[in-house]
Amino acid sequence: MTQRFPEVVLAGDGFVLRPLAQLDVEDITAACNDAATLEWLPLPRPYRREHAEGFVDVIARDARESGRGVVFAIDVSGRLHGCIDLKATDWRAGTTEVGYWVAPWGRGQRLAGRATRLLAEWALRGQGLERVVLRAATGNLASQRSAESAGFVREGVARNAGLVHGGRVDRVVYSLVRDDLQWSVCRSPGRAGT
Ligand SMILES: CC(C)(COP(=O)(O)OP(=O)(O)OC[C@H]1O[C@@H](n2cnc3c(N)ncnc32)[C@H](O)[C@@H]1OP(=O)(O)O)[C@@H](O)C(=O)NCCC(=O)NCCS
């Protein structure tokens, strides 16, 4: 039987991660036409309403049903503020990869980093996975800061590892592994006591 991620809602501090819905189509269309989003993600350009509908109805559903991943809306006060997903999941090896974008109206609150931490902890503690990888183009400083604020560890630079509209890019590779969570749990009381 195919191993899959369950369909859940995850509660964060001031936001929730929930499944995408048809109601999100307009916001997804607007967010995915934003210049910064299109600079770093190889999305269709222009990004039309039918692309967003296909994302909600086909791409997100297929990701979960195939077991390869799961897609969430980052929801603040009932409105989509971004999107975060797990992809390329290898259940046998215990690995998955996180990706995200935040809509222009949601930026500046570290939502990507906070959502990444919540989702990665869920994957490692709740779904039996061992390693979550995150890759950000070397020029994408906001994404690298988001990875770092989520507690991901920088491993190095994968050369010529991605394609964006502007051309090929090197990508910084980060990861969070299960032992990192044990370390932060063990370390907190020690810190508090010093
Ligand atoms: C990357 C992205 C998701 C971050 O969104 P966010 O969570 O709202 O991030 P914030 O605006 O709160 O910024 C997070 C950090 O990056 C820094 N930052 C933001 N824009 C920056 C820039 N252009 N250059 C350098 N640092 C920047 C912020 O100062 C903040 O740093 P801090 O944590 O030290 O305070 C968002 O910029 C985005 O959607 N970009 C386009 C899509 C994308 O790049 N996806 C990731 C592909 S790997």
Side-chain angles (χ1 to χ4, degrees):
M1 206 180 81
T2 309
Q3 196 162 359
R4 298 189 180 97
F5 290 103
E7 198 166 59
V8 291
V9 175
L10 302 175
D13 184 7
F15 68 94
V16 297
L17 302 185
R18 58 151 174 87
L20 293 178
Q22 268 299 322
L23 280 174
D24 299 319
V25 162
E26 206 166 307
D27 282 336
I28 293 171
T29 309
C32 292
N33 274 308
D34 167 66
T37 309
L38 285 169
E39 182 178 6
W40 296 117
L41 296 176
L43 297 167
R45 192 174 58 173
Y47 192 93
R48 301 184 197 284
R49 187 181 173 87
E50 54 262 34
H51 294 126
E53 285 168 349
F55 182 48
V56 173
D57 291 340
V58 182
I59 297 175
R61 196 194 59 217
D62 285 359
R64 206 182 74 77
E65 287 182 356
S66 67
R68 285 192 309 272
V70 61
V71 184
F72 292 95
I74 305 173
D75 183 312
V76 179
S77 305
R79 183 179 182 192
L80 177 140
H81 278 53
C83 208
I84 186 165
D85 71 330
L86 297 175
K87 57 196 164 197
T89 306
D90 182 335
W91 291 98
R92 198 159 168 193
T95 59
T96 191
E97 175 167 353
V98 64
Y100 44 71
W101 50 259
V102 170
W105 57 89
R107 290 190 190 141
Q109 308 171 57
R110 295 185 178 157
L111 267 179
R114 294 190 286 135
T116 296
R117 182 67 192 199
L118 178 66
L119 188 57
E121 284 208 27
W122 177 73
L124 297 172
R125 290 193 204 278
Q127 304 305 306
L129 293 169
E130 295 288 338
R131 168 180 164 87
V132 183
V133 70
L134 190 164
R135 297 173 223 266
T138 47
N140 192 348
L141 301 180
S143 187
Q144 291 170 47
R145 282 298 306 140
S146 301
E148 286 155 13
S149 73
F152 276 57
V153 176
R154 182 182 163 119
E155 295 182 337
V157 174
R159 296 177 303 152
N160 194 18
L163 180 64
V164 295
H165 289 294
R168 298 207 60 85
V169 289
D170 296 346
R171 295 171 93 192
V172 186
V173 180
Y174 294 88
S175 67
L176 193 74
V177 302
R178 199 191 281 234
D179 281 356
D180 294 335
L181 300 180
Q182 284 173 11
W183 173 240
S184 58
V185 166
C186 293
R187 205 169 45 173
S188 304
R191 268 189 180 166
T194 55

